[in-house]
Amino acid sequence: MTSSPVAEPGVQQSPSSLLPRIKEARLQILNELRKIVVGQEEPLNQILIGMFAGGHLMLQGPPGTAKTLSIVSIAKVMNLDFKRIQFTPDLMPSDISGTEILEEDQTTGHRVTKFVAGPVFCNLIMADEINRTPPKTQAGLLEVMQERQVTIGGQTYALPKPFYVMATQISMEQEGTYPLPEAQQDRFMLSIMMNYLPDDQEVEVVRNSTSAVRVELEKVIEGEELLDFTAAVRGVTLPPEIGQFIVDLTFATRPTIAGCPDFVKDYVSWGAGLRASQNIALASKSAAACDGRGVVTIEDVKAVLMPVLRHRIGLSFRAEVDRVSVEDLINRIISITPTPAGK
């Protein structure tokens, strides 16, 4: 198979010229990940859509569904500097971002402050079991995720590029968990569900994981090329009528908006905000780019709607009583929202 030409370092390419390379790289990355991650095709695709768009990601699901394995493997395939933080109740914000220490200058004898960088100074940070730590520590990630920088003692330190936060959550029914504030959840572009495998795929996992064969993952892309992909994704065209369709979908999740569907008023406490519309648009562009296309379609929007919205809608008590899930609501909103003519 002939590979698409790759630009030399420092040579600027137009966004549209990168689309074939994005499609090819996506397929190559998936082929590498399949060496070690069995099944989970849709979640892996969603992870790549989010990363090519430059977004932070939340991975959810029961234990043993390859959440950690997927993140570690992606860091290897993309040759990213990777670090992992295990979130615990006693974790402090300084354990994430770093801290200032006093030390003596050997030449002058004066005490000076020195910044000691925390583990967040890398390309890909894994926030494992993020809801095991209190809100004060969770909030330590807000500036990191939004501004991609750390401010300590009035001094601002930029994080490396590219930079991603990938978090995992455990079931809120377990003891010692703290729900993520709405503002914190909103910083994650996608919330990706990884569920149990079918029995035949679980048999494959059991056989592979207990054998003596070691699997080596090949590097497919570097961080610099990933930055080029992110720029190219933003150059994908979003037709005005599809932009309106995205906003209509987001508005339909808000129970306080005039004309909101009755079932949303019954089952939703708070709906999706502006970032939802922005992230649906950007993730849709990334989905189109992953397929080598330069224009967003309705199908691209529908493909990313669930992971963008599922963590941005708060259910009411009545929804819990009636056993209505966020996914049920999103599917119902899609079914009643008119699509643009001819789309």
Side-chain angles (χ1 to χ4, degrees):
M1 181 179 68
T2 304
S3 296
S4 301
V6 179
E8 296 178 10
V11 177
Q12 189 70 30
Q13 284 186 295
S14 66
S16 60
S17 67
L18 276 174
L19 295 179
R21 172 57 185 155
I22 292 174
K23 180 178 180 180
E24 178 190 54
R26 169 185 160 270
L27 295 174
Q28 290 175 336
I29 291 168
L30 289 175
N31 282 335
E32 286 300 311
L33 295 176
R34 289 185 189 112
K35 293 179 181 178
I36 199 165
V37 180
V38 176
Q40 307 294 3
E41 288 287 319
E42 185 176 1
L44 291 177
N45 267 302
Q46 291 173 353
I47 290 172
L48 295 185
I49 286 172
M51 293 190 74
F52 290 172
H56 305 298
L57 309 175
M58 175 74 73
L59 273 62
Q60 301 190 68
T65 49
K67 297 185 294 294
T68 301
L69 180 63
S70 297
I71 296 172
V72 172
S73 301
I74 283 171
K76 291 179 181 177
V77 172
M78 296 185 180
N79 199 31
L80 300 175
D81 181 20
F82 169 79
K83 291 180 183 175
R84 173 179 177 176
I85 303 176
Q86 187 65 47
F87 279 64
T88 55
D90 59 348
L91 191 74
M92 299 296 291
S94 59
D95 297 326
I96 299 171
S97 55
T99 188
E100 286 185 330
I101 61 172
L102 274 175
E103 64 178 18
E104 186 175 317
D105 189 323
Q106 298 297 325
T107 57
T108 64
H110 296 153
R111 288 188 174 184
V112 294
T113 59
K114 176 184 176 182
F115 176 64
V116 179
V120 78
F121 284 83
C122 63
N123 296 127
L124 173 54
I125 187 78
M126 178 179 175
D128 201 16
E129 298 185 341
I130 190 173
N131 56 338
R132 276 215 185 273
T133 199
K136 177 182 177 181
T137 304
Q138 292 175 8
L141 283 174
L142 288 174
E143 182 187 17
V144 167
M145 295 174 70
Q146 185 66 29
E147 310 296 338
R148 286 174 163 81
Q149 65 184 30
V150 168
T151 302
I152 292 182
Q155 192 77 14
T156 298
Y157 305 90
L159 295 171
K161 296 180 179 179
F163 175 73
Y164 300 94
V165 174
M166 290 196 191
T168 66
Q169 277 201 105
I170 58 172
S171 171
M172 290 303 300
E173 284 75 29
Q174 295 189 28
E175 289 186 20
T177 57
Y178 304 83
L180 265 67
E182 183 183 344
Q184 178 76 59
Q185 293 189 65
D186 206 28
R187 262 51 175 200
F188 290 98
M189 172 178 273
L190 305 178
S191 175
I192 298 168
M193 292 299 299
M194 302 187 75
N195 293 310
Y196 289 122
L197 297 173
D199 59 350
D200 57 330
Q201 292 183 350
E202 187 162 334
V203 169
E204 186 179 349
V205 171
V206 170
R207 293 184 62 190
N208 293 347
S209 61
T210 57
S211 73
V213 179
R214 287 182 58 87
V215 177
E216 295 295 331
L217 296 174
E218 299 291 330
K219 181 187 71 178
V220 174
I221 62 174
E222 300 270 359
E224 284 298 319
E225 192 172 15
L226 200 49
L227 290 174
D228 292 338
F229 286 3
T230 302
V233 162
R234 288 184 173 270
V236 171
T237 300
L238 179 71
E241 63 273 16
I242 294 185
Q244 183 63 57
F245 177 64
I246 289 171
V247 172
D248 290 344
L249 288 165
T250 306
F251 264 59
T253 70
R254 301 171 184 169
T256 57
I257 296 294
C260 165
D262 288 339
F263 68 87
V264 172
K265 294 177 182 177
D266 290 338
Y267 293 132
V268 175
S269 293
W270 43 267
L274 173 59
R275 280 199 189 95
S277 297
Q278 293 171 321
N279 284 316
I280 293 169
L282 193 53
S284 298
K285 288 185 174 189
S286 186
C290 283
D291 198 35
R293 292 179 285 105
V295 180
V296 172
T297 67
I298 290 292
E299 293 308 313
D300 295 322
V301 174
K302 291 181 178 179
V304 304
L305 202 60
M306 195 69 74
V308 173
L309 288 181
R310 68 159 50 100
H311 58 302
R312 291 184 163 93
I313 297 175
L315 297 181
S316 67
F317 178 71
R318 181 172 173 181
E320 295 182 27
V321 171
D322 292 349
R323 297 186 179 181
V324 174
S325 68
V326 171
E327 288 79 4
D328 294 333
L329 285 171
I330 295 172
N331 284 327
R332 196 165 170 186
I333 288 170
I334 295 172
S335 69
I336 66 166
T337 304
T339 56
K343 298 295 180 181

